[in-house]
Amino acid sequence: MIRVENLSKSYGKHSVLKDISLEIGAGETVAVIGPSGTGKSTLLRCLNLLEMPSEGRITIDGMRAEAGRLTQKEIYEFRRKSTMIFQDFCLFQNKTVLENITLAMQVVQKTDKAQAEKEAEEILEQIGLPEKRNQYPWTLSGGQQQRVAIGRAMALKSKVMLFDEPTSALDPCLVGEVLSVIKTITQKHNTTIVIVTHEMRFARDAADRIIYMDEGRIVEEAVPEEFFTSPKEERTKEFLQYYVK
């Protein structure tokens, strides 16, 4: 579903991503972990072309994006291959929960209002917020707002969902409800998920594969059991000593 070939990203002389190559299969859930400032979120944003790669190629669902060779139309079409969920929700505060979910369906997919609302009601059931349909985001908790943001992404039916530290802006007591919704998606929907996270327990329980990044490179990748119990690289071992309780 996703192929990244020799991807690099620099800001002036500062190199953030350094020759990244990886493949992610259809329906696979991959957790990207590592120290802060090591390029994890930049990698995710490059996958959606919110950041333009300096070098390399990205292919999602058969559509290729090559650094420096894309028109604005091609960028727009490529972005439609995936949906991004941000850590700060990015909801429309002047629209209800239902309207936040239906808007993209109506504007992007040209779904008629009645059908969009029917599908949105089903999504609200799945994310556990049917009673919040007519409320505005500012009346909700952070965890509820993030669930609405996930519901909006689900409504677009993208084959790929990209999560950029979706729980980092939440109080610890609200993290579980958001991770539960993401875990439900991984179990019930054939969606390819890439999630940048600091939640090691979630990465261990929900991911099919762990990718560990440091200093702009992929240092190690493995299935969760192998990654957490038998890491091969010294940098991975040092990271796990500090971040896994």
Side-chain angles (χ1 to χ4, degrees), residues 74-109:
E74 288 170 334
I75 292 171
Y76 175 74
E77 289 300 319
F78 191 84
R79 283 178 180 161
R80 294 182 66 177
K81 290 290 185 179
S82 62
T83 307
M84 190 93 164
I85 297 91
F86 301 91
Q87 55 186 278
D88 54 358
F89 321 138
C90 295
L91 298 173
F92 294 105
Q93 296 296 320
N94 63 337
K95 295 188 180 297
T96 66
V97 166
L98 189 70
E99 289 169 338
N100 265 279
I101 294 175
T102 60
L103 182 63
M105 285 192 280
Q106 293 177 268
V107 174
V108 177
Q109 299 177 329

Side-chain angles (χ1 to χ4, degrees), residues 29-44:
T29 297
V30 172
V32 183
I33 67 174
S36 297
T38 198
K40 304 183 301 297
S41 292
T42 302
L43 171 61
L44 208 66

Side-chain angles (χ1 to χ4, degrees), residues 168-224:
S168 66
L170 303 179
D171 292 334
C173 61
L174 302 176
V175 169
E177 63 186 70
V178 173
L179 295 181
S180 178
V181 171
I182 298 173
K183 199 167 183 179
T184 297
I185 296 172
T186 67
Q187 293 171 344
K188 296 185 178 181
H189 301 268
N190 189 33
T191 305
T192 303
I193 291 178
V194 185
I195 179 167
V196 170
T197 183
H198 285 102
E199 298 292 337
M200 296 298 116
R201 182 173 297 178
F202 173 79
R204 184 196 292 263
D205 292 345
D208 299 305
R209 182 158 43 113
I210 310 290
I211 289 177
Y212 174 67
M213 288 184 63
D214 196 5
E215 298 182 353
R217 301 181 187 275
I218 293 177
V219 175
E220 186 167 351
E221 56 182 301
V223 298

Side-chain angles (χ1 to χ4, degrees), residues 7-69:
L7 183 72
S8 296
K9 174 65 180 178
S10 299
Y11 300 96
K13 295 182 179 180
H14 179 51
S15 180
V16 180
L17 297 178
K18 305 168 185 176
D19 198 30
I20 298 283
S21 293
L22 64 92
E23 291 188 0
I24 298 173
E28 188 177 12
T29 297
V30 172
V32 183
I33 67 174
S36 297
T38 198
K40 304 183 301 297
S41 292
T42 302
L43 171 61
L44 208 66
R45 292 173 68 86
C46 283
L47 292 180
N48 195 245
L49 297 186
L50 293 175
E51 295 283 355
M52 298 305 297
S54 302
E55 298 178 23
R57 293 164 297 284
I58 303 167
T59 304
I60 296 182
D61 193 25
M63 185 172 185
R64 173 181 279 196
E66 190 153 357
R69 300 185 181 182

Side-chain angles (χ1 to χ4, degrees), residues 130-147:
E131 75 285 356
K132 304 294 185 182
R133 65 189 305 279
N134 294 319
Q135 289 189 220
Y136 291 89
W138 55 269
T139 70
L140 306 179
S141 70
Q144 290 170 336
Q145 289 189 62
Q146 189 61 284
R147 282 191 277 165

